[in-house]
Amino acid sequence: MGAVPNSILWRDSSTERVAAPPLSRDLEVELLVVGGGFTGSAAALEAAGRGARVCVLEAEIVGHGGSGRNVGLVNAGLWLPPDAVIDALGEAAGRRLNDALGRGPGEVFAIIAREGIGCEATRNGTLHLAHSPQGLKDLEDRHRQGNRHGAPLRLLDAAETRRRTGTDAFHGALLDPRAGTIQPLDYCRGLARAAIGKGAIVCERSPVTALRREGEIWHAEANGHTVRARNLLIATNAYQAGIESPFKAAYTRVSYCQFATRPLPEDVRSTILPGGEGCWDTATVMSSVRTDKAGRLIVGGMGSLEDPGRGFHEGWARRKLGKLFPDLADIPFDHGWSGRIAMTADHIPKIVAFAPNAYASFGYSGRGISPGTVFGTAAAAALLDDAPDALPIAPVERYSERFPRAKAAYYEFGATLVHGLSAH
């Protein structure tokens, strides 16, 4: 069928527009945000809504990084089950984070409604799919934990899973009705557009080339101009570039690729995920499947399309589609793209208070939409009010990762190996 075109579906289907010209003058603001993804745009919206003067400096375009390459699942909580979060953070801190992120989808969909963001918002839940009998046991444990912590999760049997997905490839599923799907780039652009409407200054094509603190004021250089701010939020996650001082995020880079078909025929669309749920499975090398408003089927999995393993990932996606939905085995993929995930060793996001009046938020480990929105909103409030207790997780002064490059290479090699072996 030939190679899949290098094309990000979300850019081609986007309807939200942002007027964000490059920085062309010096500015003085209360809050400077570096990075125009979910976290940075949510922070700008919160700050501007409070009447604060805020500037976002984005090196490329709003949503250029992981936010505009996301699967688009608005999940509640973290990839970790809630008990694991409590084990890592302690009872009080773990419950605080679990509760904040459990409310995350509600906050996302409330913002979408309030600001009139056109992003194909569908709140019919997400399905965590059991790819094996052992995967079903894992879901049964997550179901018990979630319900014990107040989450309205439902465990579905194989028949109900087949009815909801249109495939008999899974042994069951865990339904989270709090969650849903969106067009992620449109959501990010909608956040930025809404922030601008409240007075925020958002500048695309404005890479920060120097960042320093003089007295109590932060100075950022971009496009030959200076932005001065009392408060600073670095929200670049896995896409920080050009600046390594006074802060560089520490994380393991994991890549995730996606492939989108052309819109399916109407009779086929009505049988595959007819409720519009977004899905991911329990496999160690995870994969995802969802549809968009136009009826495209989008299959995703770990791996980069910018590295030598691209051909293995493309071949795997074709076989995966045929295994799940045999009647679609020959339908072409019209879009193929990948993005970078910032994964921390314990799979828990970090807020680093690396200097006075400065935070860096990163490490959502593949769950950027709800945590990014929650963390960005809270970080803006905490900085402007000098109230770190408003954060969903206690900030730390420093954070480091052991062997991040080696671990990144290991994950990419593992995904390539698994995807290559799936052909045999």
Side-chain angles (χ1 to χ4, degrees), residues 41-246:
S41 297
L45 178 58
E46 174 67 16
R50 289 165 164 257
R53 188 163 172 80
V54 56
C55 174
V56 177
L57 295 179
E58 165 55 50
E60 300 290 343
I61 61 173
V62 168
H64 166 78
S67 299
R69 302 162 194 262
N70 196 280
V71 177
L73 306 188
V74 187
N75 284 308
L78 294 174
W79 178 77
L80 292 175
D83 283 358
V85 176
I86 290 173
D87 289 344
L89 298 179
E91 184 73 23
R95 286 187 178 276
R96 174 182 169 189
L97 181 59
N98 284 333
D99 290 347
L101 296 184
R103 296 190 298 269
E107 293 189 23
V108 169
F109 287 106
I111 291 172
I112 290 169
R114 185 185 73 221
E115 305 299 340
I117 299 175
C119 60
E120 302 182 15
T122 303
R123 197 178 187 184
N124 286 345
T126 52
L127 296 171
H128 195 174
L129 303 168
H131 80 294
S132 67
Q134 183 57 46
L136 183 59
K137 291 181 179 179
D138 177 55
L139 294 186
E140 290 170 348
D141 183 50
R142 287 174 179 264
H143 177 245
R144 286 190 294 269
Q145 288 188 38
N147 286 176
R148 192 172 68 249
H149 288 280
L153 306 179
R154 287 179 52 203
L155 191 64
L156 310 182
D157 62 16
E160 177 68 4
T161 301
R162 184 184 311 112
R163 187 188 70 78
R164 287 177 177 265
T165 61
T167 175
D168 59 4
F170 300 102
H171 296 257
L174 190 62
L175 169 67
D176 190 338
R178 299 170 296 179
T181 62
I182 57 173
Q183 207 278 26
L185 179 57
D186 271 338
Y187 173 60
C188 190
R189 286 177 169 175
L191 289 173
R193 186 258 303 158
I196 293 168
K198 290 176 169 56
I201 301 169
V202 179
C203 300
E204 296 179 326
R205 310 293 185 189
S206 301
V208 174
T209 53
L211 188 60
R212 66 187 185 279
R213 182 175 169 84
E214 296 182 2
E216 296 185 347
I217 302 299
W218 287 98
H219 295 243
E221 307 293 334
N223 295 352
H225 298 279
T226 302
V227 178
R228 297 173 178 84
R230 181 172 181 80
N231 301 289
L232 170 66
L233 174 63
I234 294 181
T236 50
N237 204 35
Y239 282 81
Q240 185 168 331
I243 51 171
E244 296 189 358
S245 177

Side-chain angles (χ1 to χ4, degrees), residues 305-326:
L305 300 190
E306 300 171 3
D307 291 334
R310 177 188 177 106
F312 291 101
H313 303 316
E314 284 190 11
W316 163 83
R318 170 58 52 201
R319 294 187 296 276
K320 184 73 173 180
L321 182 63
K323 180 180 178 180
L324 293 177
F325 308 105

Side-chain angles (χ1 to χ4, degrees), residues 243-262:
I243 51 171
E244 296 189 358
S245 177
F247 179 80
K248 182 179 181 181
Y251 58 85
T252 296
R253 169 182 165 177
V254 178
S255 296
Y256 199 84
C257 56
Q258 296 181 74
F259 302 87
T261 70
R262 61 189 53 173

